[in-house]
C-alpha cells in the first residue's frame, strides 16, 4: 500500500535590504538591514541579496513598471516587495508537496503550486510591512529620525518574533486578500456600538486617537485607515500580540529597550 506525506509551504528566508546603503564592494554588507534565519554566513546572505538585486536590476531594463516581484523554480518561490523607494523585502518559501512511497519502492513527489502562489506571498509581505509600520513607522521615517543602526535594531526586534509566529503559509482567502471578517448586526445594535465608541473617544480625548471594536474575532467598528486596520486585525486574531506576553492589564506595550 502506498504511503503519502504532505509538506506545507514553509518560510526558508526573509530579508530586507537597501542597495544605496552599500554601493561598493567593501561596504556591500551595509545594504542588508535584516536577515532570517539568524546564524547564516555573511557570504551566503550577500549572495541571496545579490541575486534578488540582480533580478530587480534586470527587470528595470524593461521599465520601472515591469520591476520583478517574483522568482519561480520547481521547489521554491521567492517574492520581492518594494515598500518604499530602494527598500526591498524578500521572502523565499518552499513549494508545498506530497511525497508518496510506492509499493515498488520508488518515491514520487507532486508539487502544489497553488499553495505558494504569488498572490499569497505578496499578501504576506505586504501584511508584514504594514504591521511593522503600524507600531514603528515606515522604514524611511525610522532611518531619517534614528539612523541605520536603529532601523536594524527595530527590524530585528520586531521580525524575530513576528516570523516565529508565521513560519507556515496558510493559503486561505482571508490571508490571500488580507481580508477582515465583519460581524453583521442589525441597525439598532450597530448604532449602540457606534454611540459607545463615540462616547469613549469624547470622554478620553485626546488620549484616545483611534478605536476599533471587535467581537469574537469579527470587526464591528474600525476607525483606523484601511491598511492599518487590516494589520491590526491580523495581529489581534492570529494571536501574534498575545503570544509575545505583551498584554499588561489590557494594554499592549512595547519592549522596554525599544528605541
Amino acid at each position: 500500500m502506498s504511503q503519502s506525506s504532505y509538506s506545507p509551504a514553509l518560510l526558508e528566508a526573509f530579508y530586507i535590504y537597501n542597495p544605496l546603503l552599500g554601493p561598493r564592494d567593501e561596504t556591500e554588507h551595509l545594504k542588508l538591514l535584516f536577515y532570517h534565519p539568524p546564524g547564516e554566513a555573511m557570504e551566503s546572505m550577500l549572495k541571496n541579496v545579490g541575486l534578488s538585486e540582480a533580478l530587480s536590476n534586470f527587470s528595470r531594463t524593461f521599465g520601472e513598471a515591469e520591476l520583478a516581484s517574483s522568482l519561480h523554480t520547481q521547489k521554491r518561490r521567492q517574492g520581492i516587495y518594494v515598500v518604499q523607494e530602494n527598500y526591498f523585502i524578500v521572502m523565499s518559501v518552499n513549494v508545498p508537496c506530497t511525497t508518496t512511497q510506492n509499493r515498488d519502492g520508488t518515491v514520487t513527489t507532486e508539487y502544489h503550486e497553488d499553495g505558494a502562489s504569488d498572490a499569497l506571498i505578496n499578501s504576506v509581505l505586504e501584511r508584514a510591512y504594514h504591521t511593522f509600520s503600524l507600531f514603528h513607522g515606515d522604514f524611511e521615517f525610522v532611518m531619517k529620525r534614528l539612523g541605520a543602526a536603529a532601523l536594524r535594531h527595530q527590524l530585528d526586534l520586531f521580525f524575530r518574533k513576528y516570523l516565529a509566529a508565521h513560519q507556515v503559509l496558510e493559503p486561505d482567502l482571508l490571508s490571500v486578500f488580507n481580508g477582515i471578517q465583519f460581524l453583521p448586526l442589525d441597525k439598532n445594535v450597530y448604532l449602540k456600538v457606534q454611540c459607545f465608541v463615540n462616547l469613549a473617544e469624547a470622554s478620553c480625548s485626546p488620549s484616545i486617537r483611534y478605536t476599533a471594536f471587535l467581537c469574537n474575532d469579527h470587526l464591528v467598528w474600525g476607525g483606523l485607515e484601511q491598511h492599518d486596520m487590516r494589520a491590526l486585525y491580523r495581529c489581534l486574531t492570529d494571536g501574534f500580540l498575545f503570544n509575545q506576553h505583551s498584554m499588561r492589564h489590557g494594554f499592549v506595550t512595547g519592549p522596554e529597550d525599544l528605541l
Side-chain angles (χ1 to χ4, degrees), residues 3-258:
Q3 293 183 337
S4 299
S5 61
Y6 177 77
S7 299
L10 298 175
L11 178 66
E12 292 189 343
F14 183 100
Y15 48 93
I16 302 168
Y17 71 94
N18 182 334
L20 297 184
L21 298 178
R24 298 186 299 274
D25 290 343
E26 60 270 22
T27 60
E28 187 179 15
H29 63 283
L30 296 178
K31 70 176 65 172
L32 189 60
L33 294 168
F34 173 80
Y35 194 95
H36 175 88
E40 193 92 5
M42 180 59 69
E43 181 180 355
S44 177
M45 291 190 290
L46 292 179
K47 181 179 178 180
N48 289 335
V49 171
L51 177 62
S52 301
E53 192 173 1
L55 179 63
S56 297
N57 291 338
F58 174 73
S59 66
R60 278 198 173 99
T61 61
F62 302 98
E64 291 292 334
E66 303 297 328
L67 189 64
S69 60
S70 63
L71 176 64
H72 290 204
T73 66
Q74 183 184 29
K75 298 180 180 180
R76 289 178 178 81
R77 292 288 184 271
Q78 184 179 91
I80 304 173
Y81 183 52
V82 185
V83 296
Q84 293 173 281
E85 188 175 6
N86 298 309
Y87 287 95
F88 297 81
I89 304 180
V90 183
M91 182 174 70
S92 296
V93 300
N94 67 289
V95 176
C97 63
T98 300
T99 302
T100 303
Q101 181 74 43
N102 301 311
R103 287 181 292 180
D104 59 3
T106 60
V107 177
T108 57
T109 302
E110 179 185 1
Y111 293 94
H112 309 290
E113 296 184 359
D114 291 343
S117 65
D118 290 343
L120 175 61
I121 293 174
N122 288 336
S123 71
V124 171
L125 287 170
E126 181 181 355
R127 185 165 67 245
Y129 170 69
H130 285 306
T131 304
F132 174 87
S133 299
L134 179 65
F135 295 104
H136 299 275
D138 61 50
F139 294 168
E140 188 64 19
F141 170 80
V142 179
M143 176 71 79
K144 289 182 176 179
R145 182 169 172 261
L146 300 172
L151 176 58
R152 288 189 179 91
H153 175 69
Q154 290 194 4
L155 289 171
D156 186 78
L157 198 67
F158 176 83
F159 279 111
R160 291 291 176 221
K161 295 179 179 179
Y162 183 87
L163 294 177
H166 297 83
Q167 288 292 314
V168 181
L169 272 68
E170 300 177 357
D172 58 272
L173 286 177
L174 277 181
S175 296
V176 172
F177 295 106
N178 280 331
I180 295 175
Q181 287 187 301
F182 290 88
L183 182 66
L185 296 174
D186 64 52
K187 181 174 65 176
N188 291 332
V189 176
Y190 180 79
L191 289 176
K192 289 180 180 179
V193 172
Q194 190 174 30
C195 181
F196 167 77
V197 170
N198 292 339
L199 181 61
E201 290 181 342
S203 301
C204 301
S205 178
S207 299
I208 297 179
R209 295 181 61 186
Y210 304 101
T211 306
F213 190 102
L214 291 88
C215 179
N216 295 329
D217 290 345
H218 288 66
L219 182 66
V220 178
W221 168 268
L224 291 166
E225 293 290 337
Q226 188 178 63
H227 62 272
D228 288 334
M229 189 66 248
R230 285 176 173 173
L232 181 60
Y233 175 82
R234 296 297 296 190
C235 285
L236 293 171
T237 56
D238 67 12
F240 167 65
L241 290 178
F242 309 107
N243 289 338
Q244 310 311 314
H245 306 289
S246 58
M247 292 295 293
R248 299 175 183 171
H249 309 294
F251 293 91
V252 179
T253 61
E256 295 179 357
D257 61 344
L258 183 65

